[in-house]
């Protein structure tokens, strides 16, 4: 049978599965449209240069196309960077879009857990200026609506702010250039024991004292009260931590207004692996289900501009 | 701007285009379901070995993934070979399925003509035994229905039989091993002048006399009367030509019964580039529109079995 298998980490979908996925996608698309998004579609592969250095440690998981005597291309790793590229190349400054499509990660796949090398993502993004934290709250509201739509059970939407996280690392004395790699360990806190987490931190150059300090911060989780606790911490001395805490407070306020505050949880250990996040980050999970996080995302303020810079830089040559 | 472009032969779809494509896909899907098909979905890339030697000369247009220390994979070239692989690997003998998805061809793209390197295909296939030529007629009926659905104007569905074509080549004295490459030149007859076609034939080793003989056959086009003309030709001495002509007669008969004979045209110059076709082949186009063929397909009797053999062969090693 081996010669007729699909590549590692990919699967066929039977008619029954296709019908089910179609139903799921239709539900999600319905909510996206309700929140005022329009669809766009981007190619399955991008110029490799567009994808490089956007995903931190995960960059190594990008699937390259073979160089067959043309451009150097790679399969899209997510739909976020292609969206930023779409905005930059069309000089669009304001857009609310959705895109539902397959993405590709050359990861060690865990088929049992539903983690594949080729899988579907449904993205909702708001580009452009609006009232500070209003777009972030709208995204939370959209996530809340989708999770309710499926009527599977109780869920929580965990939020954090990248600036809070990096301020904590600064306060603990982690060197700036290690933030990315340390964050990708923090990202694993829920999935691994503290023993293994500590080991990884130490491998990445942290002292035992630093690990213990980080742990204290990471155990802060709850509702808005966490933000009050943070105000008492040394990290709060750092300006961007103040901004982060303030934005989180605004987020809770807007979410109350939008009626989606019930499921919201402030979790200082939430990190998200990808490099491009700059502010609010989020992850949602159903409570008591073992599937883990089902939705993730965050604010990425500079991605389009960075691509624009890439454009400028390359133009100078 | 160059650094923010999509790879050659690929495009972004704007919201307006997405809505339009969605409408088109919904129309096509509606007809597929009406004809009793169920959806399946297969990965964007396959094991390279599955795709090799199925597409004749076009095999060189397959996009390979970079060897990053794993399996050797390639982007799917069409949805037909993946369907045959799906049948073989799931040991399914009878199925009517549709699949709508993107396929990839490392061709010289003509964006103006809408020929891209990444584009959408909507496939409808019937696997398994039924009354001889009944499935073929059902496919024609489905094509006829879809083309009517769009209300763009008059269209024709050209049909031919691969066995008639190869019998003609045999009668003309073309060596067996050149059928594939000669067919791929025949496939270009509508797009190129006879002067260029002749040149290509001569390059491929045919004599001027042979080219003239082929040309006489290729100019046979019309309704069922072409089949009568074929009965008078030297090629008809060959047994598989008789079978082909007989099957085409049956096809016209069934299409009359199904009410889709009006648009049907017998065209001896229809060749189709792909190697896997064994019997009826078809191509449809709107009359007076310059977009060329909009639908193509045919009967491929041995594809699943061939994959099965591949399986057996590889198992012996």
């Amino acid at each position: 049978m081996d010669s007729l298998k699909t590549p590692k980490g990919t699967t066929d979908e039977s008619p029954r599965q296709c019908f089910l996925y179609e139903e799921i996608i239709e539900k999600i698309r319905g909510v996206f449209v309700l929140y005022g998004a329009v669809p766009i579609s981007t190619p399955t592969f991008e110029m490799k240069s567009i994808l490089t250095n956007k995903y931190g440690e995960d960059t190594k998981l990008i699937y390259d196309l073979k160089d067959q005597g043309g451009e150097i291309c790679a399969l899209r790793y997510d739909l976020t960077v292609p969206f930023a590229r779409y905005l930059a190349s069309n000089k669009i400054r304001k857009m609310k879009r959705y895109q539902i499509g397959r993405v590709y990660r050359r990861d060690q796949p865990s088929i049992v857990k539903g983690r594949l090398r080729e899988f579907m993502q449904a993205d909702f993004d708001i580009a452009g200026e609006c009232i500070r934290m209003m777009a972030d709250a709208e995204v939370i509201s959209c996530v809340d609506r989708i999770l309710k739509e499926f009527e599977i059970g109780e869920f929580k939407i965990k939020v954090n702010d990248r600036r809070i996280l990096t301020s904590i690392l600064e306060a603990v004395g982690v060197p700036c250039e290690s933030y990315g790699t340390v964050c990708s360990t923090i990202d694993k806190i829920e999935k691994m024991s503290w023993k293994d987490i500590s080991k990884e931190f130490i491998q990445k150059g942290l002292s035992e004292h630093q690990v213990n300090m980080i742990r204290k911060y990471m155990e802060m989780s709850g509702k808005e009260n966490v933000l009050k606790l943070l105000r008492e911490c040394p990290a709060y001395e750092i300006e961007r931590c103040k901004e982060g805490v303030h934005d989180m407070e605004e987020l809770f306020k807007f979410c109350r207004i939008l009626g989606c505050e019930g499921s919201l949880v402030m979790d200082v250990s939430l990190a998200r692996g990808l490099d491009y996040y700059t502010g609010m980050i989020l992850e949602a999970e159903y409570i008591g289900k073992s599937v883990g996080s089902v939705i993730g995302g965050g604010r990425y303020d500079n991605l389009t501009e960075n691509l624009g810079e890439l454009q400028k830089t390359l133009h100078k040559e």
Side-chain angles (χ1 to χ4, degrees), chain A residues 63-78:
Chain A
Y63 264 108
D64 294 329
L65 294 189
K66 188 175 170 186
D67 181 359
Q68 294 175 302
E71 298 160 335
I72 308 299
C73 300
L75 295 184
R76 61 189 181 197
Y77 180 89
D78 64 12

Side-chain angles (χ1 to χ4, degrees), chain A residues 7-278:
Chain A
K8 187 175 179 183
T10 69
T11 58
D12 290 324
E13 290 160 20
S14 68
R16 185 181 294 269
Q17 287 167 319
C18 283
F19 285 129
L20 181 63
Y21 292 148
E22 190 53 40
E23 214 181 309
I24 292 170
I25 288 171
E26 267 320 302
K27 271 208 165 90
I28 295 171
R29 177 160 31 207
V31 177
F32 287 167
V33 171
L34 196 68
Y35 278 75
V38 291
I40 69 158
S41 174
T42 60
T44 303
F45 48 89
E46 294 276 349
M47 305 291 283
K48 167 96 170 155
S49 59
I50 301 284
L51 304 182
T52 310
N53 301 325
K54 308 293 185 300
Y55 301 107
E57 294 198 344
D58 286 357
T59 297
K60 64 181 186 296
L61 305 181
I62 291 175
Y63 264 108
D64 294 329
L65 294 189
K66 188 175 170 186
D67 181 359
Q68 294 175 302
E71 298 160 335
I72 308 299
C73 300
L75 295 184
R76 61 189 181 197
Y77 180 89
D78 64 12
L79 303 174
T80 308
V81 174
F83 174 51
R85 198 262 311 139
Y86 179 87
L87 291 175
S89 72
N90 292 290
K91 301 199 188 336
I92 297 168
R93 299 196 65 82
K94 214 175 155 75
M95 184 179 207
K96 202 188 273 183
R97 83 89 176 79
Y98 71 86
Q99 181 169 3
I100 300 171
R102 297 174 175 201
V103 300
Y104 306 88
R105 297 178 181 191
R106 218 169 39 76
D107 210 343
Q108 279 316 313
S110 166
I111 313 273
V112 199
K113 289 188 187 161
R115 293 181 78 87
L116 294 168
R117 291 185 159 193
E118 174 181 30
F119 60 98
M120 197 67 97
Q121 280 199 342
D123 276 31
F124 171 90
D125 290 84
I126 303 171
E129 293 293 317
C130 65
I131 299 166
R132 185 88 199 144
M133 300 314 288
M134 190 61 218
D136 309 64
E138 201 176 332
V139 167
I140 305 278
S141 170
C142 180
V143 165
D144 184 71
R145 178 86 182 220
I146 287 169
L147 293 173
K148 276 183 184 137
E149 196 77 21
F150 285 107
E151 300 177 341
I152 292 171
E154 258 194 290
F155 57 86
K156 61 179 174 185
I157 304 172
K158 299 185 290 186
V159 288
N160 194 11
D161 191 295
R162 265 288 169 94
R163 291 163 299 176
I164 297 176
L165 204 59
T166 58
S167 300
I168 289 170
L169 299 184
E170 187 182 334
V172 166
V174 174
C176 188
E177 60 276 15
S178 301
Y179 289 177
T181 184
V182 169
C183 275
S184 82
T185 302
I186 291 176
D187 194 39
K188 299 176 196 159
I189 285 178
E190 286 226 329
K191 293 165 224 151
M192 281 161 60
S193 70
W194 258 104
K195 204 179 140 207
D196 290 335
I197 290 289
S198 303
K199 208 189 284 171
E200 208 172 292
F201 275 140
I202 305 256
Q203 274 166 0
K204 289 181 175 178
L206 271 59
S207 72
E208 215 155 308
H209 179 61
Q210 285 176 316
V211 174
N212 289 335
M213 282 204 291
I214 291 178
R215 182 170 183 174
K216 258 182 206 154
Y217 279 104
M218 294 308 126
E219 282 170 353
M220 291 182 185
S221 174
K223 308 289 284 184
E224 269 178 287
N225 58 314
V226 178
L227 298 169
K228 285 197 194 100
L229 290 176
L230 277 169
R231 284 178 179 276
E232 316 291 314
C233 292
Y236 194 72
E237 302 296 306
I238 298 163
E239 198 50 43
R240 67 174 188 290
C241 184
K242 279 188 188 132
E243 288 167 19
V245 170
H246 180 257
D247 277 355
M248 287 293 103
E249 285 167 343
E250 289 287 295
L251 184 70
F252 270 88
K253 201 190 294 172
F254 281 129
C255 285
R256 264 198 304 279
I257 295 168
L258 294 173
C260 60
E261 191 242 3
S263 54
L264 209 57
V265 166
M266 175 71 202
D267 183 346
V268 182
S269 77
L270 182 64
R272 306 282 304 146
L274 304 182
D275 254 16
Y276 50 63
Y277 295 119
T278 52

